[in-house]
Amino acid sequence: MTAPAVPRRLSAPEPGWTDAVDVVVVGSGVAGLTAALKARELGSVLVVTKDVVASGSTQWAQGGIAAALDPEDSPEDHLQDTLVAGAGLSDPEAVRVLVTEGPDAVRDLIELGARFDTLADGEISLGREGGHHRNRIAHAGGDATGAEIERALVAAVRRAKDIRIIEHALVLDLLKAADGAIAGVTLHVMGEGQLDGVGAIRARVVILASGGIGQLYAATTNPSVSTGDGMALALRAGAKVRDLEFVQFHPTVLWLGKSAKGQQPLVSEAVRGEGAFLVDHTGQRFMQGQHELADLAPRDIVAKAIMRQMLATGKDHVYLDARHFGDELWRVRFPTILASCRSHGIDPVCELIPVAPACHYSSGGVRTDLNGETSVPGLYACGEVACTGVHGANRLASNSLLEGLVFARRIAAHLADGLPEQSEPVADRRTPGLVDADAVPELQRAMTVGAGVIRSAAGLAEAGATIGKLTEQPAAEPGTPGWEATNLVTVASALIAAATAREESRGAHWREDHPDRDDLHWFGSLDVTLDQHAVPQATFVPRRTEENERHG
């Protein structure tokens, strides 16, 4: 099956205003704000964010941030747990960077003002989540870790007078020089004032930290701004996107009924870390025997077990049992989840919590090296939009916030050796295109059915055919809905190309027509790029070949 062709660039009015800075950071989550704070020492910095500064995925992170902070823990133990969760495809060098630099990155975050939950002696209280063999998860406000980290970073950025911020701005496409290097970005500011409408920002470096792709699916834990803008923009600019087939579906998302769409409430893995367990409609536990950690197995294992249980019973959800926690533990440890459940008429203190898997996190993204550099000169990426090699086929719980911190810092450290010269942008001669915003619900349905938790060649082909028809519909007028729809279609087409090519089941990629892991043929990654006809093409890169090239 050939993946559907996508627009080469977004249809948009010519820029009505221009500006210039040294570094543009796209996104304002943990990765973007950390990159901005570190890069301001190198030159002028502009943060471009799609909504208000604190509106991204970071604020929704309930579980916590993983780091070997306990004297009885070690980076080596953290590394091993991460490699196991990654199902053989995590890059050991990238993981070693994460686990060795992670503890200092968390300590710096504390010095910046982040307040983590502590024990009576003042030491950080460390919990446990799926896939971890030790307590190494730092939390804040019980289950409001992301919100606290975002609060501390936003406050630090606000204090930094040398960081400019443009809110309510959607980045459209990259400006490029004649030699292919980055020269800046075009963007649309959705507001009133001097920078209203489409403009162009000249820049020496662009750092993508724009988050994930959750809105590809009908149900997700991601906010509405997660429409894959950074990945789509990078693909259109010629960048390689890696491991996009490995979409993590969080196993325990509050089930609100068959008609529920969009962002759904997350029931953090930390709830199972405190002793909650999964049961079916008869009250029987079903995770024993599935994995040595049972209910605390890595997310792909738990999500698959839930899906098998749902298929076997004909039910559309299972239950999480945490009634034994009692009222006090719920109020102190999980106040956000408690309030969310009760707002939907479920009291977890005395009732089972209905849960089902939903799209949560993209383990893949724009391919980078250990310094955050992409395959396009001057373009860097960090956070969920990037593929650093840490996550492999499945992200270990609570490694995402840490990855954003660590690799944003590494980008700034790399750029400290010297920013590139400002390139002169050339006119973009690529044919523009746009997908009608009305196509999004059908796109989400097709992706959920054909490229969701369970996949097959037939299902992926049907999803691809649906997306192909959507790209043929009359284009909408330029505007945010159409631009977002086009970005979603672009990423969906790339994902289908990768998921179709990988004929095995591994980590978060489950092919029912190829149910086994196949290291003989699929020990490596799939890089997706757009060919000359703007059709996504997946190229297999064997791990051994890449490692040999890296080490000469």
Side-chain angles (χ1 to χ4, degrees), residues 165-287:
I165 300 172
I166 299 180
E167 296 182 319
H168 303 290
L170 175 63
V171 171
L172 303 177
D173 276 304
L174 291 166
L175 298 171
K176 297 182 74 174
D179 63 359
I182 294 302
V185 296
T186 58
L187 70 163
H188 179 261
V189 181
M190 299 164 277
E192 297 178 357
Q194 184 180 359
L195 298 183
D196 189 24
V198 174
I201 306 286
R202 298 277 302 278
R204 298 161 72 177
V205 166
V206 173
I207 302 174
L208 294 179
S210 52
I213 61 175
Q215 294 300 320
L216 276 181
Y217 294 90
T220 177
T221 63
N222 290 198
S224 61
V225 293
S226 297
T227 52
D229 307 320
M231 288 189 204
L233 168 144
L235 277 165
R236 290 193 294 269
K240 296 177 180 178
V241 174
R242 170 167 286 192
D243 291 342
L244 200 56
E245 67 270 33
F246 298 116
V247 179
Q248 187 178 81
F249 286 77
H250 198 289
T252 54
V253 175
L254 190 62
W255 186 80
L256 300 178
K258 294 180 180 180
S259 61
K261 299 291 188 292
Q263 186 177 8
Q264 308 293 301
L266 176 65
V267 181
S268 168
E269 200 145 347
V271 175
R272 280 176 284 134
E274 290 287 345
F277 51 87
L278 290 157
V279 297
D280 62 18
H281 282 68
T282 69
Q284 294 297 310
R285 299 182 65 171
F286 56 86
M287 283 307 300

Side-chain angles (χ1 to χ4, degrees), residues 138-392:
H139 301 94
D143 57 0
T145 311
E148 171 57 19
I149 290 174
E150 184 77 0
R151 181 204 62 77
L153 288 170
V154 169
V157 167
R158 297 287 192 197
R159 292 193 300 267
K161 304 300 183 184
D162 48 357
I163 297 177
R164 292 171 53 205
I165 300 172
I166 299 180
E167 296 182 319
H168 303 290
L170 175 63
V171 171
L172 303 177
D173 276 304
L174 291 166
L175 298 171
K176 297 182 74 174
D179 63 359
I182 294 302
V185 296
T186 58
L187 70 163
H188 179 261
V189 181
M190 299 164 277
E192 297 178 357
Q194 184 180 359
L195 298 183
D196 189 24
V198 174
I201 306 286
R202 298 277 302 278
R204 298 161 72 177
V205 166
V206 173
I207 302 174
L208 294 179
S210 52
I213 61 175
Q215 294 300 320
L216 276 181
Y217 294 90
T220 177
T221 63
N222 290 198
S224 61
V225 293
S226 297
T227 52
D229 307 320
M231 288 189 204
L233 168 144
L235 277 165
R236 290 193 294 269
K240 296 177 180 178
V241 174
R242 170 167 286 192
D243 291 342
L244 200 56
E245 67 270 33
F246 298 116
V247 179
Q248 187 178 81
F249 286 77
H250 198 289
T252 54
V253 175
L254 190 62
W255 186 80
L256 300 178
K258 294 180 180 180
S259 61
K261 299 291 188 292
Q263 186 177 8
Q264 308 293 301
L266 176 65
V267 181
S268 168
E269 200 145 347
V271 175
R272 280 176 284 134
E274 290 287 345
F277 51 87
L278 290 157
V279 297
D280 62 18
H281 282 68
T282 69
Q284 294 297 310
R285 299 182 65 171
F286 56 86
M287 283 307 300
Q288 288 91 339
Q290 302 277 354
H291 188 273
E292 62 170 349
L293 294 175
D295 293 88
L296 276 176
R299 288 174 177 174
D300 65 309
I301 304 288
V302 181
K304 289 174 184 176
I306 292 174
M307 290 300 299
R308 289 191 188 100
Q309 198 69 20
M310 289 162 53
L311 290 171
T313 61
K315 305 293 184 180
D316 42 24
H317 64 283
V318 295
Y319 293 98
L320 191 63
D321 191 345
R323 293 173 294 181
H324 56 288
F325 283 10
D327 183 71
E328 183 176 0
L329 178 58
W330 268 112
R331 285 189 295 102
V332 173
R333 183 66 181 82
F334 303 110
T336 306
I337 299 172
L338 177 63
S340 177
C341 287
R342 284 178 169 170
S343 72
H344 292 287
I346 302 157
D347 188 348
V349 176
C350 56
E351 294 180 277
L352 297 173
I353 306 169
V355 294
C359 176
H360 184 56
Y361 189 88
S362 175
S363 293
V366 184
R367 179 185 171 187
T368 73
D369 63 11
L370 298 182
N371 295 315
E373 286 190 280
T374 74
S375 54
V376 177
L379 180 65
Y380 291 74
C382 53
E384 190 174 356
V385 71
C387 181
T388 62
V390 162
H391 305 308

Side-chain angles (χ1 to χ4, degrees), residues 91-113:
D91 181 344
E93 290 188 42
V95 178
R96 192 166 295 281
V97 164
L98 178 83
V99 300
T100 56
E101 298 182 14
D104 282 343
V106 174
R107 294 184 187 102
D108 282 355
L109 195 57
I110 294 170
E111 288 190 16
L112 202 63

Side-chain angles (χ1 to χ4, degrees), residues 111-127:
E111 288 190 16
L112 202 63
R115 299 185 292 265
F116 291 99
D117 297 341
T118 58
L119 301 171
D121 61 3
E123 292 295 318
I124 294 178
S125 176
L126 299 173

